[in-house]
Amino acid sequence: MTKKYAKMVVDKDFRIAEIDKRMFGSFIEHLGRAVYEGIYQPGHKSADKDGFRKDVMELVKELNVPIIRYPGGNFVSNYYWEDGVGPAEERPKRLELAWRSLETNEVGLNEFAKWSKLVGSDMMMAVNLGTRGVSDACNLLEYCNHKAGTKYSDLRIRHGYQEPHNIKTWCLGNEMDGPWQLGSKTPTEYGRIAYETAKAMKLIDPDIELVSCGSSSTGMKTFPEWEAVTLEHTYEHVDYVSLHQYFGNPDGDTPNFLAKSMETEHFIKTVISTCDYVKAKKRGKKDINLSFDEWNVWYHSHQADDNTMKREPWQKAPALLEDIYNFEDALVVGLMLITFMKHADRVKMACLAQLVNVIAPIMTQADGPAWKQTIYYPYLHASKYGRGIALQPVLYSTKHDTREYTDVYDVDSVAVYNEEAEEVTIFAVNRDIEESIEFTCDIRSFEGYGLIEHIVLTSDDLLASNSAVKQAVAPVTVNDTILDNGIVTANLKKASWNVIRLGKK
């Protein structure tokens, strides 16, 4: 049997691109307990004067989330933003059709903008192109970004917000290719309304960035024709196309589950190719970049969610999509983050979906604490140490096959160079669930660097999960990694997430 190994070469001149900090964004939708009992719960012992949970805010701030997508998601395709502004006592309650819940509109645009500032995040705002259209998107943009002297900017001022929110990034609808979406459209129908909306919005504020809806998944029958057709309409006015991807392991096949990030790689490469085809066809000069604005593991809660929405609809903030993540889920999240960083030249934004309670790294108890799920940690490490220049890894690793994938690298890895801090961070996942693997990395181009630390997330139980009372899965620092003559040698424990930090002496 061939001994398993992984070796990598990184060089400061092997640059992919500067990583846009928005690659480590997230997402809050008016869904389940994400808003109510998540970020907002008046009466909770940690709540501030506006009803925001300070314990949640502290966990979000620790993640240093640069941008948060809002208010959906499927929710946005039948959302009337006007319902969520103005005096709270005058706001209507609505039947929320995407998740068959009751939306009270206690929290709306202005409250979320205020909360975003408190946690140090920008907003990525989505407009309703399902049941609404061009004029409503323009009204919303005017309300948010225009200084004063017009109907909607003055309305914002009357609501107590003198200064505009100056939201830079806007999504032109959500998953409009999906038959589950209210107001779903054919590629041509969406291309036309997205073009007209984008054109009008950029007349109001030429400095905004716009995201055109891409395919909801690689499994859609229209993928990637959807991107080709819609971008032929929107190319001149949009800056990004969206990608959404969720993975699960309902069959309990861990090796196959850990190989699914190869599907992320395929998705990214195919969308880039399609964007570049449209650019060539248009004789264009700009690249359309990628906004991977929904991604995560999502499958644990499907049955419970179906039962709630069918049998007990129209509840306020029901417990929906409350996946309790295990250790192998954290490895998949880490592998997806590595894949994004490898494509930093085109993947400029990504939003872990979602942030609190709903398929989230942070969970809350209604009258109790907030706590960290297993997936919190790779997200934290990538956000904290993944700022800088992504370096093209020259990676050699033994491989294996799974039920659906062939030639799966036992180890996947990428390195990030932070020039300002004079640090290099190597992110690596050992996919092998049986054996530790010796990993070597040649960093001789970084002369005078030393080892800072090697952080590991691992567990003997692949299905171990965290709770409000026990952090069964949490990172530790190991002391057996060495750096000698420019070669890092590390033992990557079986089924592990690794963060190896190096810095100038």
Side-chain angles (χ1 to χ4, degrees):
M1 181 179 294
T2 303
K3 178 177 173 59
K4 296 192 173 183
Y5 70 91
K7 59 182 182 179
M8 187 166 76
V9 179
V10 295
D11 191 290
K12 63 175 61 176
D13 291 327
F14 297 175
R15 300 180 177 219
I16 300 171
E18 181 83 24
I19 292 174
D20 191 316
K21 66 179 182 179
R22 295 175 298 174
M23 184 181 288
F24 309 113
S26 193
F27 179 25
I28 290 280
E29 182 172 359
H30 283 251
L31 159 58
R33 297 192 309 122
V35 175
Y36 309 112
E37 294 186 12
I39 67 171
Y40 175 82
Q41 191 179 355
H44 189 273
K45 63 182 181 180
S46 76
D48 68 9
K49 62 181 177 60
D50 296 308
F52 297 127
R53 287 185 57 153
K54 290 187 284 187
D55 57 347
V56 172
M57 283 195 279
E58 289 308 308
L59 292 178
V60 175
K61 286 192 282 188
E62 185 180 351
L63 289 169
N64 193 14
V65 184
I67 193 166
I68 301 174
R69 186 166 173 250
Y70 176 85
N74 295 353
F75 173 85
V76 79
S77 290
N78 191 40
Y79 183 50
Y80 287 73
W81 65 268
E82 302 92 335
D83 292 346
V85 297
E89 65 276 9
E90 297 177 10
R91 297 180 189 178
K93 294 179 174 64
R94 289 265 193 178
L95 296 180
E96 200 291 288
L97 303 184
W99 304 105
R100 303 198 78 208
S101 304
L102 181 69
E103 177 52 55
T104 64
N105 288 299
E106 295 167 64
V107 172
L109 163 64
N110 292 321
E111 289 83 9
F112 191 79
K114 186 172 186 176
W115 180 83
S116 297
K117 289 180 180 178
L118 290 172
V119 298
S121 300
D122 293 329
M123 288 176 65
M124 177 193 293
M125 192 73 187
V127 302
N128 177 358
L129 293 188
T131 58
R132 306 186 86 181
V134 180
S135 63
D136 303 295
C138 290
N139 296 343
L140 175 57
L141 176 59
E142 181 185 316
Y143 183 93
C144 290
N145 284 16
H146 197 72
K147 191 167 181 62
T150 64
K151 176 179 178 178
Y152 288 100
S153 60
D154 287 347
L155 181 62
R156 181 197 70 245
I157 293 169
R158 289 200 299 275
H159 291 160
Y161 293 83
Q162 180 68 40
E163 295 302 315
H165 297 310
N166 290 323
I167 300 171
K168 181 179 181 180
T169 309
W170 295 75
C171 299
L172 298 169
N174 175 74
E175 293 185 356
M176 300 307 296
D177 60 333
W180 58 85
Q181 201 73 208
L182 289 169
S184 63
K185 293 171 171 55
T186 67
T188 300
E189 288 172 340
Y190 174 74
R192 287 291 303 130
I193 192 171
Y195 165 77
E196 294 295 346
T197 305
K199 180 176 66 176
M201 290 177 73
K202 285 204 169 179
L203 287 172
I204 296 171
D205 187 346
D207 295 328
I208 60 173
E209 295 181 327
L210 297 175
V211 183
S212 182
C213 277
S215 296
S216 302
S217 75
T218 57
M220 301 300 291
K221 291 181 180 179
T222 53
F223 174 74
E225 180 187 5
W226 173 275
E227 283 79 1
V229 173
T230 59
L231 286 173
E232 283 203 34
H233 293 279
T234 63
Y235 174 83
E236 283 82 3
H237 293 294
V238 304
D239 307 280
Y240 305 90
V241 63
S242 70
L243 297 82
H244 291 179
Q245 191 166 59
Y246 297 98
F247 292 132
N249 187 22
D251 301 323
D253 185 342
T254 300
N256 196 69
F257 186 39
L258 298 183
K260 287 190 174 183
S261 60
M262 294 176 68
E263 186 66 25
T264 306
E265 179 86 13
H266 163 70
F267 197 2
I268 290 170
K269 287 182 175 179
T270 304
V271 173
I272 289 172
S273 298
T274 309
C275 291
D276 290 349
Y277 158 75
V278 174
K279 174 186 175 182
K281 187 174 181 180
K282 290 275 190 178
R283 310 299 194 263
K285 293 183 179 180
K286 71 174 182 179
D287 288 332
I288 299 295
N289 287 318
L290 277 54
S291 174
F292 221 117
D293 51 36
E294 286 190 33
W295 68 275
N296 205 341
V297 172
W298 174 21
Y299 74 103
H300 298 284
S301 61
H302 284 343
Q303 185 61 51
D305 295 339
D306 288 343
N307 289 339
T308 298
M309 287 187 284
K310 288 176 182 176
R311 298 177 184 177
E312 301 177 83
W314 319 126
Q315 299 179 63
K316 175 189 172 182
L320 292 174
L321 281 68
E322 296 202 5
D323 277 33
I324 300 301
Y325 289 114
N326 57 41
F327 171 64
E328 67 177 13
D329 298 329
L331 295 180
V332 172
V333 165
L335 286 160
M336 294 182 78
L337 285 161
I338 287 172
T339 306
F340 296 156
M341 288 186 271
K342 285 182 177 180
H343 291 280
D345 56 332
R346 298 296 288 272
V347 178
K348 299 299 182 182
M349 296 188 289
C351 298
L352 178 71
Q354 296 186 19
L355 188 53
V356 184
N357 285 333
V358 173
I359 49 173
I362 299 168
M363 294 295 293
T364 71
Q365 290 182 349
D367 298 311
W371 48 277
K372 302 173 182 179
Q373 293 234 58
T374 62
I375 66 169
Y376 185 97
Y377 295 107
Y379 180 31
L380 169 68
H381 296 150
S383 178
K384 192 172 183 179
Y385 303 120
R387 310 291 176 102
I389 298 163
L391 300 177
Q392 182 66 57
V394 181
L395 178 63
Y396 306 89
S397 171
T398 47
K399 303 174 183 178
H400 61 273
D401 295 339
T402 71
R403 177 167 48 88
E404 293 180 292
Y405 303 94
T406 58
D407 292 329
V408 181
Y409 274 39
D410 292 330
V411 171
D412 199 5
S413 183
V414 72
V416 177
Y417 174 34
N418 186 325
E419 287 184 290
E420 184 178 352
E422 294 188 300
E423 290 185 5
V424 176
T425 300
I426 299 166
F427 300 97
V429 171
N430 180 0
R431 286 187 171 108
D432 194 295
I433 64 174
E434 302 290 343
E435 297 181 40
S436 296
I437 293 177
E438 183 179 88
F439 172 76
T440 60
C441 184
D442 184 337
I443 64 155
R444 283 177 291 179
S445 73
F446 293 94
E447 188 176 352
Y449 275 58
L451 180 68
I452 299 174
E453 63 179 341
H454 179 175
I455 304 167
V456 178
L457 189 69
T458 191
S459 173
D460 290 332
D461 181 2
L462 290 165
L463 303 183
S465 59
N466 294 340
S467 69
V469 296
K470 183 180 180 181
Q471 288 280 292
V473 179
V476 297
T477 300
V478 297
N479 299 313
D480 56 351
T481 301
I482 60 174
L483 172 58
D484 185 37
N485 291 322
I487 307 296
V488 177
T489 302
N491 177 48
L492 304 187
K493 298 181 184 299
K494 65 179 183 180
S496 62
W497 161 258
N498 299 267
V499 182
I500 302 171
R501 298 181 58 225
L502 310 153
K504 189 81 168 179
K505 291 180 181 178

